[in-house]
Amino acid sequence: MSWPSHSVASSTREDGREFLTLAASYGVHATTHTFPLSRAVEALTDLEAGRFDGAAVLVDDLS
């Protein structure tokens, strides 16, 4: 398994605002699945394997 070492975004805050406004006008909703930080590798493995749609969100193990 190989993970990207970095990501790059060249969007501005205004780009983000415009995108979120447009997404809301189309009824776009985000699907998230939370994982404690201690299970980060499991989250990445599940995403890669297609075990769920959406985003994996890592949270502090104390949350």
Side-chain angles (χ1 to χ4, degrees):
M1 177 179 326
S2 111
W3 308 109
S5 59
H6 65 278
S7 64
V8 176
S10 59
S11 301
T12 65
R13 286 184 185 191
E14 186 56 31
D15 292 335
R17 288 184 191 103
E18 289 177 15
F19 172 78
L20 292 174
T21 299
L22 182 63
S25 73
Y26 281 91
V28 173
H29 298 279
T31 302
T32 60
H33 303 272
T34 58
F35 288 82
L37 189 56
S38 62
R39 292 177 46 208
V41 172
E42 178 184 348
L44 290 170
T45 302
D46 286 354
L47 280 169
E48 184 177 60
R51 291 191 183 103
F52 60 83
D53 291 333
V57 178
L58 299 176
V59 295
D60 189 317
D61 286 330
L62 302 176
S63 296

